[in-house]
């Protein structure tokens, strides 16, 4: 029996996930493999490096730093979340990432990115914590219109959530029999077409398959939620979701809002901890 962890994205809604995974780490809950999408990749990598508390710590510390996230960064660099600051300055100097622990931890860690030429999801196994791995994590979290296209090995990528927002099917196909799924929307959430669809069609007109994937995303997302619920009912998945819409948007510079989303995540994990341990011991 192999156990997996699936972490949805959602930009700063991912702070909820930080709260959940910190509680799981504090209770020594381990998995054979994990997969993160977008913010789920950026924050979820701390599970493999065993750094409980790191993601909320640096988000609180740098949430008002223009190099971290700002329209100034978007205008001057092409990335709302500054690539150099977020993926190099912070993990290498300001709040060091535990590279050695990451590489020694036997838990597999996948990230999902969308190939903008094909419009398909690509799943990358992050074995080391430097080099291309940082590019893959950045690609997974590069939201359309708010980030530059990321080039890796001659291919072009953007946010993994465009093609596969909740990759439970992928984890099951990779051999993980039972999976804990962390979503960042309430259980009754229904995704509707994005208001930015017209801008995406204009901005990425050279990439018709990406546009199609972006247009399909609401249907894909709602079908994935339906599959998650089915898997949960059949005992193959354990879902942790916020009890109601989170008080945080895609971007925030307010530390109190971040802390509230983080607390909601911690509470959601604590309330179901006994059930979760039973699920993982069956």
């Amino acid at each position: 029996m192999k156990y997996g962890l699936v972490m949805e994205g959602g930009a700063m809604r991912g702070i909820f996930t930080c709260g959940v995974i910190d509680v799981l780490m504090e209770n020594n809950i381990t998995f054979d493999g994990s997969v993160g999408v977008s913010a789920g990749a950026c924050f979820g990598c701390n599970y493999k490096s065993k750094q409980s508390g790191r993601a909320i710590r640096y988000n609180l510390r740098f949430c008002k730093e223009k190099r971290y996230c700002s329209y100034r960064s978007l205008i001057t660099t092409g990335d709302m979340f500054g690539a150099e600051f977020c993926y190099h300055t912070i993990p290498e100097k300001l709040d060091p990432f535990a590279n050695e622990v990451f590489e020694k931890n036997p838990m597999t860690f996948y990230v999902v990115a969308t190939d903008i030429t094909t419009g398909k999801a690509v799943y990358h196994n992050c074995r080391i914590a430097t080099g291309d791995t940082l590019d893959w994590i950045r690609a997974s979290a590069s939201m359309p219109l708010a980030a530059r296209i990321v080039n890796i090995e001659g291919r072009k990528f953007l946010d993994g959530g465009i093609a596969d927002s909740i990759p439970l099917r992928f984890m099951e196909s990779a051999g993980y029999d039972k999976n804990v799924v962390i979503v960042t929307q309430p259980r009754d959430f229904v995704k509707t077409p994005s208001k930015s669809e017209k801008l995406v069609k204009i901005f990425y007109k050279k990439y018709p398959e990406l546009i199609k994937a972006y247009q399909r995303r609401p249907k894909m997302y709602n079908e994935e939620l339906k599959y998650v619920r089915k898997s949960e009912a059949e005992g193959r998945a354990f879902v942790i979701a916020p009890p109601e819409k989170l008080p945080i948007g895609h971007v925030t510079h307010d530390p109190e809002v971040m802390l509230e989303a983080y607390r909601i995540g911690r509470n959601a994990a604590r309330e179901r901890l006994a059930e979760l341990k039973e699920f993982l011991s069956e």
Side-chain angles (χ1 to χ4, degrees), residues 49-252:
S49 66
K50 301 182 180 181
Q51 289 177 282
S52 175
R54 178 176 178 270
I56 186 62
R57 182 175 64 239
Y58 73 70
N59 272 284
L60 291 175
R61 181 179 174 186
F62 301 116
C63 63
K64 295 185 179 182
E65 168 64 62
K66 296 188 184 302
R67 292 177 296 167
Y68 182 60
C69 176
S70 68
Y71 285 107
R72 178 195 289 181
S73 176
L74 179 61
I75 293 168
T76 58
T77 71
D79 295 301
M80 179 168 283
F81 288 86
E84 181 65 27
F85 189 75
C86 292
Y87 298 98
H88 293 284
T89 305
I90 291 176
E92 292 170 7
K93 299 176 182 178
L94 301 179
D95 197 324
F97 188 72
N99 296 341
E100 187 175 346
V101 176
F102 182 96
E103 292 169 14
K104 288 183 177 180
N105 187 341
M107 181 185 77
T108 304
F109 178 63
Y110 297 97
V111 300
V112 187
T114 299
D115 184 320
I116 66 172
T117 302
T118 65
K120 303 295 185 181
V122 176
Y123 308 89
H124 180 73
N125 183 355
C126 299
R127 294 183 173 86
I128 61 173
T130 55
D132 284 353
T133 290
L134 295 174
D135 288 334
W136 279 103
I137 293 175
R138 180 162 71 93
S140 182
S142 290
M143 297 180 291
L145 306 175
R148 289 173 292 170
I149 294 168
V150 179
N151 293 278
I152 306 174
E153 299 176 353
R155 301 170 71 181
K156 299 178 178 181
F157 297 97
L158 280 174
D159 195 322
I162 300 169
D164 192 353
S165 297
I166 313 171
L168 174 59
R169 281 191 180 93
F170 163 74
M171 287 296 280
E172 290 180 343
S173 70
Y176 296 92
D177 308 281
K178 303 186 78 172
N179 292 277
V180 175
V181 182
I182 305 172
V183 294
T184 58
Q185 296 282 16
R187 286 176 175 269
D188 60 354
F189 177 76
V190 176
K191 194 168 189 63
T192 57
S194 171
K195 295 178 181 178
S196 61
E197 190 174 298
K198 291 182 179 179
L199 283 175
V200 167
K201 289 176 70 175
I202 295 170
F203 200 79
Y204 300 103
K205 60 184 179 181
K206 293 182 180 179
Y207 305 99
E209 295 305 318
L210 172 68
I211 293 170
K212 290 177 186 177
Y214 197 83
Q215 292 172 325
R216 289 194 301 264
R217 191 183 179 197
K219 181 180 179 181
M220 173 272 293
Y221 186 91
N222 292 330
E223 287 177 349
E224 288 194 334
L225 280 179
K226 183 177 179 180
Y227 184 79
V228 168
R229 287 192 289 266
K230 179 176 182 291
S231 297
E232 183 180 35
E234 294 173 354
R236 293 181 288 110
F238 186 96
V239 182
I240 301 178
E244 57 188 21
K245 183 177 175 62
L246 291 169
I248 193 169
H250 279 80
V251 175
T252 185

